[in-house]
Amino acid sequence: MKVPQSLRSKAFVSSVVMILIMTVNVELSQGSTCSSTFFSALVQLIPCRTAVSPFGPVPPSETCCNAVKTLGQPCLCVLVNGPPISGVDRSMALQLPDKCASNFDPCELARK
């Protein structure tokens, strides 16, 4: 079975993006840093996907809030300031600490 060129192109672009994300390790300038890579921090917040989806968000679950608290403010800020994440509304992601009562300092958005 022959795979159409458009599917091969999309698969290639997706693979390149995934490799780039896996190699990104961003440090914050806010005094404390995130010890996780961008990709590992993103994986840890998978339970929050529905709470930050622009297509009908729901309140964060207990599992999501536990993940936010475990990840910590520096890593959450790395994600918010990192490359765009498909299906994630950054402003909603910034609200997770308040919605989860985790008392983090707000993230400073990087100037782009």
Side-chain angles (χ1 to χ4, degrees):
M1 183 165 111
K2 187 173 181 177
V3 178
Q5 178 65 31
S6 63
L7 287 178
R8 286 188 297 199
S9 295
K10 287 180 184 178
F12 175 76
V13 170
S14 296
S15 297
V16 170
V17 169
M18 188 60 93
I19 291 168
L20 288 173
I21 288 173
M22 288 173 29
T23 60
V24 173
N25 188 0
V26 182
E27 290 190 348
L28 298 175
S29 60
Q30 294 180 330
S32 58
T33 59
C34 175
S35 61
S36 299
T37 64
F38 179 87
F39 182 72
S40 65
L42 182 61
V43 167
Q44 192 168 346
L45 286 180
I46 286 175
C48 298
R49 178 92 179 176
T50 57
V52 296
S53 170
F55 311 109
V58 297
S61 65
E62 184 178 344
T63 305
C64 169
C65 289
N66 288 337
V68 168
K69 292 172 186 175
T70 300
L71 188 62
Q73 187 258 7
C75 291
L76 183 62
C77 293
V78 164
L79 290 173
V80 170
N81 284 302
I85 305 165
S86 177
V88 173
D89 182 315
R90 287 180 193 263
S91 63
M92 295 172 77
L94 285 170
Q95 296 171 15
L96 283 175
D98 286 337
K99 290 181 178 180
C100 291
S102 53
N103 300 322
F104 293 158
D105 290 331
C107 297
E108 291 183 24
L109 294 176
R111 292 181 173 65
K112 298 193 180 204

